[in-house]
């Protein structure tokens, strides 16, 4: 289950952590037309304006499909399709441009309301698709090149570039280009660290698609994160085996996310634009609200580093005060550095544990703690499992734990109660009889 961090101070800490991590980075936002009609759109604009003001390089690619459909309908222009691609005729292109700029202008309006300057520009050089399977695609085009130098100039002036779904040939001929393609090309050309795909889709939910069971889902059953390999496997299963086609929005978005991550975008976030604050939550908290496809190392259980020590002391402090954990100093932790493992997300520690060897083939699992904002999502169990695997690798025959409050939890992990006498001699000698911890052990 996804949880938000436990206190406003922690939220602020996380926000600063991410702000310094991504400051000066380029982020591309591909936002579908229906989002502009939702009440949450004004909040989205407020949030993007905020990001632009604090130093993120925001680039907007508005999708205009539904608006183009409506305008063409209004002017009684019937579109022909080649497979799923609309053939934009010479008669249709002025109306397509009108719709595309109408949508782009909504972003100008939204940003203006938040005192951020923006420019709709001819940032896409396009070329025509030509003749496909005997059909002249006329003004339907593809990205030839993203004019990064112009975009860079605009960003340097402190403005937000907006790339409507129109591109122009070197001779000035307009083409209708899919916004997905523009977002993908712009992300690659500008070296974006993030691409946001924002629509009004419910997203990738486990009930609706065949997905591997091990993937983490949120309280709405939406997949929280995926590697590109997992994304590829889901596409393969659902598109090829289950026959869900190009019309399926969540799969289309997943495909775009996969392509972007294969093109080098570190993280792609697919979010529902109707959720107020979704971009900020996805950006500034470790546990976002959408689906993220990540190509880089995101989270892992790994050995403790010296730089993590302040983080685990902070994590342990309230648990020490509650009497759940024994107090440890930074020096004591440093001395046993190699015994510890941590679960870190983006460099901040959210769970820890240690395995101390006491001789006689036995080791103690200790200092197991989970950040209160991240409990009940299996982190504690993963830490204990990792420590048990370590003990198995070291060919130990037993792990044990001394606990005052958590015996039920260890019992649920297969540990059983035993006596002080069963402890290795070295540990028995330093057993604190006043603390009266219970001893639980697991034979390996
Ligand atoms: C015990 C602790 C590590 C569990 O962390 P966690 O990451 O939430 O653990 P998991 O997500 O793997 O497991 C959560 C499950 O255990 C249950 N649980 C948590 N603490 C429990 C306890 N003290 N007794 C019994 N069950 C407990 C939860 O209700 C949850 O149950 P569910 O899966 O049925 O919903 C965490 O609560 C903690 O830091 N406690 C304080 C420190 C401590 O006592 N450490 C042990 C001393 S070495």
């Amino acid at each position: 289950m996804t949880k938000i961090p436990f206190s406003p101070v922690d939220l602020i800490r996380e926000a600063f952590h991410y702000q310094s991590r991504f400051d000066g980075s380029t982020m591309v936002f591909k936002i579908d037309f229906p989002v502009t009609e939702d009440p949450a759109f004004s909040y989205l604009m407020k949030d993007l304006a905020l990001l632009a003001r604090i130093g993120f390089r925001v680039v907007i690619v508005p999708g205009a499909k539904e608006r183009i459909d409506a305008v063409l309908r209004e002017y009684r222009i019937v579109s022909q399709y080649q497979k799923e691609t609309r053939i934009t005729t010479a008669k249709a292109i002025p109306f397509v441009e009108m719709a595309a700029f109408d949508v782009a202008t909504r972003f100008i309006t939204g940003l203006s309301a938040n005192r951020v300057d923006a420019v709709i520009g001819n940032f896409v050089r396009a070329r025509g698709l030509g003749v496909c399977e005997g059909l002249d695609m006329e003004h339907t085009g593809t990205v030839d090149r993203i004019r990064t130098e112009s975009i860079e100039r605009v960003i340097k002036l402190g403005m937000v570039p907006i790339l409507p779904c129109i591109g122009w040939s070197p001779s000035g001929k307009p083409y209708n280009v899919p916004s997905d393609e523009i977002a993908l090309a712009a992300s690659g050309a500008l070296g974006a660290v993030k691409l946001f795909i924002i629509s009004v889709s419910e997203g990738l939910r486990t009930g609706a698609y065949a997905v591997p069971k091990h993937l983490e889902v949120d309280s709405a059953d939406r997949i929280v994160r995926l590697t590109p390999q997992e994304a590829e496997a889901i596409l393969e299963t659902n598109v090829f085996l289950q026959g869900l086609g190009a019309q399926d929005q969540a799969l289309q978005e997943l495909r775009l996310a996969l392509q972007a991550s294969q093109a080098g975008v570190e993280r792609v976030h697919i979010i529902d634009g109707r959720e107020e604050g979704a971009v900020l939550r996805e950006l500034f908290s470790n546990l976002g609200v959408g689906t993220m496809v990540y190509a880089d190392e995101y989270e892992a259980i790994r050995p403790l580093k010296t730089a993590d020590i302040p983080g685990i002391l902070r994590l342990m402090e309230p648990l020490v005060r509650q009497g759940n954990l024994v107090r440890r100093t930074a020096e004591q932790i440093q001395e046993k550095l190699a015994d510890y493992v941590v679960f870190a997300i983006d460099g901040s520690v959210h769970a820890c544990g240690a395995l101390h060897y006491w001789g006689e083939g036995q080791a103690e699992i200790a200092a197991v703690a989970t950040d209160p904002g991240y409990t009940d999502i299996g982190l504690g169990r993963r830490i204990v499992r990792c420590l048990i695997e370590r003990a198995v690798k070291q060919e130990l025959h037993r792990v044990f734990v001394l606990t005052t409050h958590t015996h039920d939890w260890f019992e649920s992990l297969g540990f059983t109660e035993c006596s002080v006498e069963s402890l290795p001699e070295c540990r028995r000698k330093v057993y604190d009889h006043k603390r009266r911890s219970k001893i639980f052990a697991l034979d390996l």
Side-chain angles (χ1 to χ4, degrees):
M1 190 176 64
T2 303
K3 290 204 165 180
I4 57 167
F6 59 105
S7 79
V9 173
D10 280 286
L11 267 180
I12 295 165
R13 266 196 201 110
E14 279 193 25
F16 277 121
H17 170 77
Y18 279 91
Q19 201 263 328
S20 58
R21 189 168 188 272
F22 293 116
D23 189 20
S25 306
T26 304
M27 299 190 184
V28 174
F29 295 83
K30 192 233 147 194
I31 305 170
D32 280 358
F33 170 72
V35 177
T36 67
E37 303 226 295
D38 193 87
F41 182 63
S42 59
Y43 294 104
L44 176 62
M45 288 298 92
K46 202 186 274 280
D47 294 347
L48 295 198
L50 182 72
L51 294 178
R53 265 201 252 112
I54 63 172
F56 292 93
R57 291 154 46 96
V58 172
V59 175
I60 297 177
V61 180
K65 184 184 172 303
E66 296 79 0
R67 183 73 190 122
I68 293 172
D69 287 343
V71 168
L72 292 182
R73 238 187 344 264
E74 200 179 323
Y75 289 91
R76 297 176 199 285
I77 296 172
V78 179
S79 297
Q80 244 194 308
Y81 287 81
Q82 192 263 333
K83 294 193 177 140
E84 271 87 32
T85 308
R86 184 203 315 269
I87 299 174
T88 306
T89 58
K91 189 177 168 202
I93 187 71
F95 297 98
V96 170
E97 286 180 275
M98 185 168 91
F101 278 82
D102 169 35
V103 176
T105 306
R106 295 176 192 216
F107 288 85
I108 295 272
T109 306
L111 292 170
S112 300
N114 291 285
R115 294 173 305 287
V116 165
D117 297 333
V119 174
I120 305 171
N122 54 344
F123 300 120
V124 178
R125 202 168 82 180
R127 56 189 143 80
L129 286 183
V131 178
C132 298
E133 295 179 356
L135 288 170
D136 185 353
M137 302 301 285
E138 300 195 36
H139 284 266
T140 307
T142 183
V143 175
D144 183 25
R145 187 168 83 76
I146 297 291
R147 301 184 54 224
T148 44
E149 36 337 304
S150 307
I151 295 177
E152 292 291 351
R153 268 205 298 275
V154 166
I155 294 176
K156 269 206 190 91
L157 289 171
M159 299 181 180
V160 172
I162 299 175
L163 285 59
C165 58
I166 303 291
W168 288 266
S169 73
S171 65
K173 186 173 174 186
Y175 287 102
N176 180 199
V177 180
S179 53
D180 277 12
E181 220 186 277
I182 295 176
L184 183 61
S187 301
L190 296 165
V193 295
K194 281 179 184 281
L195 164 64
F196 282 83
I197 301 171
I198 307 177
S199 67
V200 295
S201 151
E202 300 237 297
L204 208 58
R205 282 160 207 270
T206 48
Y209 302 94
V211 297
K213 286 215 167 44
H214 70 273
L215 294 176
E216 192 184 323
V217 295
D218 65 14
S219 53
D221 280 341
R222 183 163 43 196
I223 295 172
V224 174
R225 54 182 151 261
L226 291 163
T227 61
Q229 296 73 26
E230 287 163 343
E232 208 163 3
I234 290 179
L235 282 169
E236 200 161 297
T237 311
N238 291 278
V239 177
F240 298 116
L241 302 182
Q242 311 264 327
L244 290 172
Q247 300 302 333
D248 187 284
Q249 187 165 358
L251 293 178
Q252 263 182 34
E253 289 173 347
L254 186 63
R255 180 174 293 109
L256 175 61
L258 175 63
Q259 287 169 332
S261 90
Q262 286 166 341
V265 180
E266 279 177 27
R267 293 177 196 182
V268 185
H269 301 264
I270 304 172
I271 59 178
D272 187 337
R274 295 168 295 189
E275 283 184 42
E276 191 195 322
V279 166
L280 294 190
R281 276 190 278 166
E282 194 72 14
L283 201 51
F284 290 128
S285 94
N286 283 326
L287 295 172
V289 293
T291 296
M292 174 172 74
V293 177
Y294 63 102
D296 57 342
E297 176 74 353
Y298 175 68
E299 55 158 57
I301 293 182
R302 57 163 173 78
L304 177 72
K305 299 178 202 158
T306 301
D308 299 320
I309 293 178
I312 68 166
L313 287 174
R314 185 173 73 79
L315 175 67
M316 287 178 177
E317 184 53 33
L319 303 171
V320 171
R321 269 192 267 119
Q322 286 160 16
N324 286 324
L325 287 182
V326 175
R327 185 175 293 284
R328 291 158 176 87
T329 63
E331 292 71 31
Q332 285 168 331
I333 296 172
Q334 178 69 47
E335 237 171 67
K336 300 260 176 199
L337 198 73
D339 287 4
Y340 284 81
V341 293
V342 292
F343 177 91
I345 304 180
D346 280 340
S348 40
V349 172
H350 292 292
C352 64
L355 185 76
H356 303 307
Y357 184 60
W358 286 99
E360 300 171 38
Q362 295 197 48
E364 177 178 358
I365 289 182
V368 178
T370 297
D371 183 338
Y374 290 79
T375 53
D376 297 347
I377 55 172
L379 297 191
R381 225 167 313 156
R382 284 175 64 184
I383 290 279
V384 170
R385 207 183 308 134
C386 170
L387 296 172
I388 292 172
E389 277 165 19
R390 259 193 185 191
V392 169
K393 272 198 200 127
Q394 292 168 19
E395 299 186 350
L396 306 185
H397 68 80
R398 205 155 92 118
V399 288
F400 63 88
V401 60
L402 271 66
T403 171
T404 47
H405 293 82
T406 330
H407 54 280
D408 285 336
W409 187 66
F410 281 104
E411 221 167 2
S412 74
L413 299 178
F415 287 65
T416 50
E417 187 164 9
C418 44
S419 65
V420 180
E421 285 66 45
S422 68
L423 294 176
E425 196 186 345
C426 298
R427 184 66 181 95
R428 213 162 47 230
K429 279 187 185 154
V430 292
Y431 176 79
D432 181 349
H433 286 276
K434 266 194 255 136
R435 195 169 158 83
R436 297 189 57 202
S437 304
K438 286 177 187 264
I439 299 157
F440 275 76
L442 182 78
D443 290 324
L444 307 174

